[in-house]
Amino acid sequence: MKNVTDYFGMNVFNDAKMQERLPKPIYKALRKTIENGDALDITIANVVAHAMKDWAIEMGCTHYTHWFQPMTGVTAEKHDSFISPKGDKVIMEFSGKELIKGEPDASSFPSGGIRATFEARGYTTWDPTSPAFVRDKTLYIPTAFCSYTGEVLDKKTPLLRSMERLSTEAVKVLHLLGKTDVKRVTTTVGPEQEYFLIDKEMYDKRPDLIYTGRTLFGAMAPKGQELDDHYFGSIKSRVSAYMHDLDEELWKLGVFAKTKHNEVAPSQHELAPVFTTSNIATDHNELCMEVMKKTAEKHGLVCLLHEKPFAGVNGSGKHNNWSISTDTGENLLNPTKHPEDNLQFQLFLSAVVKAVDEYQDLLRITVASAGNDHRLGANEAPPAIISMYLGDDLGALVESIIEGKDYKSHKAARMETGVEALPDFKKDNSDRNRTSPFAFTGNKFEFRALGSSLNIACPNYMLNTMVAEQLKQFYDELKDASDVESAVKGLIKKALTEHNRIIFNGDNYSEEWVQEAEKRGLCNYKSLPDAMEHYIDKKNVDLFASNGIVTEEEMHARYEIELEQYSKLLNIEALSMLDMAKKDIAPAVISFVKELSEGVAVKKKISYKLSTYAEEKTLESLSKKLENFSKKTNELEEALAETDKYTDNLSLAKYYRNTVFSIMGELREIGDSMEKETSSEYWPYPSYGKILFGV
Ligand code: ADP
Ligand code: MG
């Protein structure tokens, strides 16, 4: 197995295998379902199931599983074997019904109170648009997940629905503009994934990493990322071996893993695939995160996907590159050579601008998580304020449209290297403003506020739905116009004028922007509870309900689930801190203090002339800190005892954020300053230095 082209997709029941293994009419019917969303007949499913099973068995499989994405934020699977008893023997069977429908017990998945437990049956339904694959001797079938009573319980269903919605509305608009050959429009996504890679031995010694995925204590090492020497730095051999293995695994699974490099923080890296449809990109990103973790195990490493595993260095995020293209092969967000004459591009651009402005709160909400709260607003990730960057060229175009002036293109400048032997080339006109949360980058938008562990289905179904809604409104306004061209121009001008406030080309990390954004009336929700509160605002409920993505009831369920998860996570973090503080850190410092005191006593016995200055200095400082540490530990314990008082999820989440989380920060500060003074022989955990520079 040397050639990537030979083994790429070998573990996937992909198009080539379907074509090879299915009778022609069956293959054609299945393609129709995949391409146009046509309903699938059970007789066809039976034949597909049979072929899938035969292939899976040839690949060494004994089991199959419906693979789904419940609201827990991680994927779920329940394995069934293919065996079916025949007398005292077995045969291997797999029916169309088993392919189409699964019935995992749904009672233990978060439902936000939608179902009474006695109705806890859930159904998984085959998603034929995302190919089945083989892992660990098991056939994985991507599925959607809903409750017995039909409510959506997962992240995939709303995504699929939103893709349909956007397609329907975009096609209507395109037909109005004369593109009548377009039958379908798809959204595409390329998610760049950041991660940390640390030594397994170090990891095993850190209960905080084990329980919460991030370090709850840990003094900064003498060196961090200030030299920028890790970013794009040469990749160490151990990491490189891991990355090779990872690429190979992903390629076998049909994932278009493309780019890899070292990121800003020590031990931090990134992987980016080539983009594909939103649905497959989502499944592939989930798969990618799992394979990243599994592959690390083989190399004695641990892959951390938490948004902020280490304080003091950058955390990890995900960049969601998003665009819309037609089945005729046109990217609708491609400005082309002359965007000033391209009304179609301008119209789609306006739809996105209007959508992002009207639903900026939703975009903020969709990236809110306990982990991401550590990043947004710090100088490493975009702020909690959503705005858009269009770049010089498009910025000037929008300005000219609003002001009714002529547009002067910033002609793509040539990059002159000044060295005869090096070729000159055209400079990229699009964004190099890395501080914007939502930037236009050539022919796509890059949503940069996502946390590294997020399931990208959510931001994408929100994006798709909010843009579909704008296109629907545009269509309604344009459909009866006698002069479509001038109506389109009027509409573009109106939309850009009214929503210009969301466009910001400056430094998003600056304090001035925070003030400016407030003047513009943009939202600035600093934490998950602050943001989540607005999820169920009427305009947001109306958006999803009227577009048939999720119902009001399902939104309320999602709202409860998110808030509840948040409080639970913070509770686990607080309990882990208490455990570490009481069982490891305080005893370690007490022992060290004891040794110092005994040292002083011994010296004094030998001769009163011996200096005990160093010991006493440290003793004095650590004793004081130990006292404060102990008091803070009690305070945290007392704060946790108060949580019973809160009966609704929102006020409980706010209490965790405003009170518990603050005390945790204070406790950590004292702990970290003790670490700096305590002998490393005594300190119970590997230091940041050992972890971050160890691999
Ligand atoms: P950068 O690091 O400069 O942000 P990368 O080249 O690492 O950019 O990543 C860009 C990502 O955008 C890749 O995953 C790429 O496949 C994706 N991308 C490119 N074109 C599109 C498109 N039309 N739709 C969605 N994603 C796209
Ligand atoms: Mg990027």
Side-chain angles (χ1 to χ4, degrees):
M1 259 201 337
K2 282 184 217 97
N3 223 325
V4 182
T5 49
D6 293 339
Y7 68 81
F8 185 87
M10 66 174 275
N11 293 344
V12 188
F13 196 66
N14 55 16
D15 191 63
K17 279 173 204 118
M18 288 191 233
Q19 202 165 3
E20 184 192 311
R21 287 168 179 264
L22 294 173
K24 230 188 196 144
I26 303 282
Y27 170 75
K28 274 197 177 153
L30 186 59
R31 283 286 356 145
K32 268 196 174 160
T33 299
I34 295 170
E35 276 154 30
N36 313 329
D38 293 3
L40 195 88
D41 199 83
I42 182 73
T43 52
I44 293 171
N46 275 329
V47 183
V48 177
H50 195 82
M52 250 188 210
K53 178 205 70 184
D54 283 351
W55 170 73
I57 290 171
E58 283 167 32
M59 296 292 292
C61 290
T62 51
H63 288 70
Y64 70 92
T65 180
H66 276 199
W67 187 60
F68 57 106
Q69 299 169 27
M71 300 302 294
T72 51
V74 288
T75 55
E77 49 196 74
K78 177 186 143 206
H79 297 204
D80 278 297
S81 73
F82 289 120
I83 68 156
S84 167
K86 271 271 142 52
D88 57 359
K89 296 211 155 132
V90 293
I91 55 165
M92 301 297 255
E93 267 185 350
F94 185 50
S95 68
K97 203 172 133 239
E98 286 167 311
L99 167 64
I100 290 180
K101 193 178 95 183
E103 292 185 40
D105 179 359
S107 61
S108 296
F109 289 108
S111 71
I114 285 188
R115 293 156 298 128
T117 318
F118 64 87
E119 278 183 338
R121 198 134 35 123
Y123 289 108
T124 49
T125 320
W126 178 35
D127 167 17
T129 63
S130 180
F133 55 90
V134 163
R135 277 186 80 195
D136 302 329
K137 298 192 171 156
T138 304
L139 173 67
Y140 278 71
I141 300 154
T143 57
F145 181 46
C146 64
S147 80
Y148 180 69
T149 36
E151 285 97 359
V152 175
L153 292 176
D154 73 344
K155 309 203 174 202
K156 181 187 267 274
T157 311
L159 177 66
L160 290 172
R161 288 179 179 171
S162 75
M163 290 170 74
E164 288 280 344
R165 277 299 296 140
L166 185 64
S167 176
T168 307
E169 295 306 329
V171 167
K172 273 160 54 188
V173 168
L174 287 168
H175 285 190
L176 260 186
L177 298 177
K179 292 265 167 77
T180 46
D181 53 337
V182 176
K183 293 202 179 57
R184 225 178 144 71
V185 156
T186 342
T187 49
T188 49
V189 170
E192 300 160 55
Q193 176 73 49
E194 291 179 343
Y195 61 98
F196 277 85
L197 214 51
I198 64 167
D199 194 279
K200 173 88 165 53
E201 257 181 62
M202 302 287 159
Y203 174 87
D204 286 340
K205 291 181 187 148
R206 300 271 336 192
D208 43 5
L209 284 177
I210 293 172
Y211 294 134
T212 72
R214 75 178 180 103
T215 50
L216 300 168
F217 289 101
M220 192 51 209
K223 182 183 173 197
Q225 63 193 37
E226 58 277 67
L227 295 179
D228 292 324
D229 52 351
H230 194 256
Y231 190 53
F232 282 18
S234 85
I235 301 170
K236 289 185 189 161
S237 46
R238 193 168 170 202
V239 175
S240 177
Y242 165 83
M243 286 177 168
H244 276 296
D245 226 13
L246 176 63
D247 278 339
E248 217 169 275
E249 274 314 301
L250 290 173
W251 288 335
K252 285 188 209 160
L253 287 163
V255 178
F256 302 115
K258 172 90 175 163
T259 313
K260 53 187 180 185
H261 61 81
N262 284 351
E263 259 301 328
V264 173
S267 282
Q268 192 186 28
H269 316 280
E270 181 182 296
L271 181 146
V274 178
F275 69 95
T276 175
T277 70
S278 308
N279 183 34
I280 294 181
T282 301
D283 285 358
H284 280 181
N285 184 245
E286 288 298 302
L287 204 52
C288 181
M289 291 192 282
E290 283 175 36
V291 176
M292 277 178 162
K293 289 192 219 156
K294 275 264 160 76
T295 308
E297 282 171 25
K298 281 199 259 167
H299 291 256
L301 298 165
V302 175
C303 170
L304 303 176
L305 290 170
H306 192 282
E307 282 73 17
K308 193 72 180 176
F310 304 99
V313 294
N314 274 11
S316 299
K318 193 137 56 186
H319 289 178
N320 191 84
N321 295 274
W322 173 91
S323 193
I324 324 170
S325 57
T326 66
D327 56 352
T328 50
E330 191 180 359
N331 179 346
L332 297 172
L333 294 178
N334 180 0
T336 60
K337 254 206 174 128
H338 293 286
E340 68 276 20
D341 302 326
N342 188 341
L343 282 186
Q344 179 189 300
F345 167 73
Q346 291 177 18
L347 191 65
F348 279 89
L349 177 71
S350 307
V352 180
V353 171
K354 184 165 182 277
V356 173
D357 186 31
E358 284 179 359
Y359 298 104
Q360 46 179 290
D361 50 348
L362 278 180
L363 289 177
R364 167 63 185 97
I365 290 161
T366 192
V367 298
S369 71
N372 220 15
D373 276 1
H374 296 280
R375 298 175 64 243
L376 299 179
N379 270 7
E380 59 173 272
I385 307 161
I386 300 291
S387 69
M388 278 171 108
Y389 175 85
L390 295 182
D392 291 344
D393 251 8
L394 283 191
L397 175 64
V398 166
E399 230 174 86
S400 75
I401 294 173
I402 293 175
E403 287 166 12
K405 287 188 192 145
D406 272 351
Y407 161 74
K408 265 202 239 80
S409 162
H410 290 70
K411 284 247 156 42
R414 287 204 71 79
M415 174 82 195
E416 284 168 23
T417 55
V419 179
E420 221 33 76
L422 300 182
D424 291 342
F425 53 87
K426 252 202 217 164
K427 268 195 232 175
D428 212 340
N429 255 342
S430 70
D431 157 75
R432 285 295 131 193
N433 178 341
R434 312 303 283 179
T435 68
S436 175
F438 202 91
F440 186 76
T441 48
N443 58 5
K444 60 186 165 31
F445 277 98
E446 184 167 343
F447 185 20
R448 298 202 182 110
L450 284 70
S452 46
S453 65
L454 190 72
N455 180 319
I456 62 169
C458 297
N460 283 298
Y461 84 69
M462 295 210 181
L463 256 174
N464 295 347
T465 310
M466 59 184 75
V467 174
E469 171 63 27
Q470 307 308 336
L471 292 172
K472 175 182 161 289
Q473 291 176 17
F474 284 4
Y475 176 79
D476 288 344
E477 237 177 272
L478 295 171
K479 67 176 191 290
D480 299 322
S482 50
D483 177 354
V484 174
E485 188 178 324
S486 73
V488 168
K489 281 186 180 160
L491 195 87
I492 292 169
K493 181 166 179 171
K494 182 163 170 274
L496 292 176
T497 310
E498 285 175 5
H499 299 283
N500 194 25
R501 66 168 186 168
I502 198 73
I503 299 169
F504 177 63
N505 292 330
D507 178 4
N508 281 257
Y509 294 175
S510 69
E511 187 46 42
E512 295 85 73
W513 170 232
V514 178
Q515 285 156 21
E516 165 69 16
E518 196 180 336
K519 269 196 232 143
R520 293 190 190 186
L522 303 181
C523 337
N524 185 4
Y525 305 137
K526 298 211 171 66
S527 67
L528 180 136
D530 284 352
M532 208 59 210
E533 196 172 355
H534 297 280
Y535 180 59
I536 44 175
D537 284 357
K538 185 171 179 314
K539 82 170 175 58
N540 296 337
V541 172
D542 287 349
L543 173 74
F544 288 114
S546 73
N547 281 287
I549 309 297
V550 276
T551 64
E552 179 167 6
E553 201 195 2
E554 285 158 5
M555 283 184 77
H556 277 269
R558 269 154 212 261
Y559 164 85
E560 299 293 344
I561 291 171
E562 288 293 336
L563 290 168
E564 202 181 358
Q565 296 270 84
Y566 179 85
S567 298
K568 281 182 181 166
L569 275 172
L570 261 64
N571 192 54
I572 295 172
E573 289 189 351
L575 291 177
S576 306
M577 272 194 116
L578 285 176
D579 218 47
M580 294 168 79
K582 294 204 287 195
K583 291 192 191 148
D584 297 337
I585 297 178
V589 180
I590 288 168
S591 307
F592 183 51
V593 163
K594 183 168 167 246
E595 179 176 320
L596 288 173
S597 322
E598 285 168 2
V600 172
V602 170
K603 272 192 183 174
K604 291 224 156 120
K605 226 179 192 176
I606 297 169
S607 158
Y608 68 93
K609 278 189 196 152
L610 287 174
S611 167
T612 52
Y613 176 86
E615 291 92 327
E616 281 181 51
K617 257 303 208 221
T618 312
L619 258 177
E620 197 182 314
S621 167
L622 274 180
S623 305
K624 185 76 209 146
K625 284 176 184 168
L626 203 50
E627 178 186 337
N628 292 339
F629 190 69
S630 164
K631 285 180 180 160
K632 241 342 137 197
T633 309
N634 292 342
E635 207 183 307
L636 181 57
E637 230 161 10
E638 281 159 21
L640 283 184
E642 298 282 294
T643 50
D644 289 354
K645 284 192 189 155
Y646 300 88
T647 46
D648 71 291
N649 282 328
L650 181 64
S651 43
L652 181 63
K654 286 197 165 178
Y655 175 74
Y656 268 105
R657 170 73 194 181
N658 299 331
T659 306
V660 176
F661 186 72
S662 310
I663 303 172
M664 283 164 60
E666 290 158 12
L667 180 64
R668 174 179 186 145
E669 208 173 296
I670 310 170
D672 292 357
S673 81
M674 294 200 300
E675 182 182 346
K676 287 189 183 151
E677 289 174 28
T678 304
S679 153
S680 46
E681 258 176 66
Y682 280 80
W683 198 257
Y685 311 120
S687 66
Y688 265 31
K690 283 212 173 97
I691 303 174
L692 286 171
F693 296 95
V695 176

